Amino acid sequence: MRRWFGSTKNIAGCIGGLIGLVLYAVGVIGPLWLMFVVMAVLYTAGALVAPPDKVRLVVDPTVEAAQVRSSLEALVQTVAGHSGRLPPSAVDGVRHVAEVLSDLLKDPLRLASTPDMQYRVLLLARTDLPMSVETYLNLPRWFASRRDADGTSAQDELAKQLDLLRAKAEKLAAEYYSADVNRQEDHTRYLGEES
């Protein structure tokens, strides 16, 4: 309902209604009841003729990055709250991956300029990392430490997943910062040539 008041259609309808009021004030429209009918008709006509408001399907990268960074902070807090339930290496692993991803999200417009990179960072931050932790924490404590016939446990699986997530996050960071590293190397070469 709030959106309607500021919408293009409502504004055009109000202008039509005002035209009806002006017509009554000038004397073009006779009786008072006829003014209300004309105003309603002109409001409806204005609302129907006006173009619809623009549809925004793409999320603002700045807002999206802030939301994802906030959810990463919440994930780290949740993991820290369950530190007795998770192996210490898992707590550190989640914190490290979240830190790398959060750094990548610090400049959302730069990240958005490479949609493939943005997609992979968001997938890692929104889905892969939380799913690994959530799946483990949803297991009963006694079952999480239990070893299968092949000698692996849910703790081992979580450790493997976090190692893979760490490698993915660091690979993304290497790609993301590669231009900066190249620029720094070029500057070092330039400085060396000046000597």
Side-chain angles (χ1 to χ4, degrees), residues 1 4 6 22 47 51 57 76 99 101 105 116-117 132 143 160 164 166 168 178 181 184-186:
M1 185 71 174
W4 175 255
V22 169
L57 298 177
V76 169
E99 184 179 303
L101 295 173
L105 292 162
D116 178 57
M117 171 74 69
S132 292
F143 189 81
K160 283 182 204 173
L164 292 169
R166 178 187 295 238
K168 276 185 169 186
S178 65
V181 170
Q184 188 177 23
E185 289 171 352
D186 290 344

Side-chain angles (χ1 to χ4, degrees), residues 1-73:
M1 185 71 174
R2 260 187 177 162
R3 273 194 239 170
W4 175 255
F5 288 116
S7 71
T8 307
K9 291 190 170 286
N10 183 45
I11 292 170
C14 288
I15 291 170
L18 283 174
I19 291 171
L21 185 63
V22 169
L23 290 175
Y24 174 75
V26 174
V28 175
I29 301 172
L32 183 62
W33 67 268
L34 186 57
M35 177 200 64
F36 289 116
V37 172
V38 170
M39 284 177 63
V41 168
L42 289 175
Y43 176 87
T44 305
L48 289 174
V49 171
D53 289 337
K54 291 182 180 180
V55 176
R56 301 226 183 259
L57 298 177
V58 177
V59 179
D60 179 7
T62 306
V63 172
E64 185 176 36
Q67 290 171 345
V68 174
R69 289 181 76 200
S70 176
S71 66
L72 284 170
E73 288 175 23

Side-chain angles (χ1 to χ4, degrees), residues 5-188:
F5 288 116
S7 71
T8 307
K9 291 190 170 286
N10 183 45
I11 292 170
C14 288
I15 291 170
L18 283 174
I19 291 171
L21 185 63
V22 169
L23 290 175
Y24 174 75
V26 174
V28 175
I29 301 172
L32 183 62
W33 67 268
L34 186 57
M35 177 200 64
F36 289 116
V37 172
V38 170
M39 284 177 63
V41 168
L42 289 175
Y43 176 87
T44 305
L48 289 174
V49 171
D53 289 337
K54 291 182 180 180
V55 176
R56 301 226 183 259
L57 298 177
V58 177
V59 179
D60 179 7
T62 306
V63 172
E64 185 176 36
Q67 290 171 345
V68 174
R69 289 181 76 200
S70 176
S71 66
L72 284 170
E73 288 175 23
L75 178 65
V76 169
Q77 294 292 329
T78 300
V79 167
H82 288 88
S83 60
R85 177 95 196 276
L86 291 163
S89 62
V91 175
D92 292 338
V94 170
R95 188 174 289 125
H96 177 74
V97 173
E99 184 179 303
V100 171
L101 295 173
S102 188
D103 282 345
L104 294 174
L105 292 162
K106 279 184 181 174
D107 188 357
L109 297 177
R110 177 181 172 189
L111 185 62
S113 69
T114 52
D116 178 57
M117 171 74 69
Q118 181 185 29
Y119 169 78
R120 291 183 291 156
V121 167
L122 293 176
L123 180 66
L124 206 59
R126 283 185 170 156
T127 305
D128 296 340
L129 181 59
M131 183 183 289
S132 292
V133 175
E134 182 180 300
T135 303
Y136 179 81
L137 288 176
N138 283 332
L139 292 172
R141 188 182 299 253
W142 65 268
F143 189 81
S145 59
R146 179 178 157 268
R147 298 214 173 267
D148 288 344
D150 62 353
T152 60
S153 67
Q155 287 180 354
D156 298 334
E157 287 300 320
L158 178 63
K160 283 182 204 173
Q161 288 176 5
L162 289 174
D163 285 344
L164 292 169
L165 291 169
R166 178 187 295 238
K168 276 185 169 186
E170 289 175 355
K171 182 180 177 189
L172 286 170
E175 281 181 48
Y176 185 77
Y177 294 117
S178 65
D180 297 328
V181 170
N182 290 340
R183 192 171 25 254
Q184 188 177 23
E185 289 171 352
D186 290 344
H187 190 64
T188 302

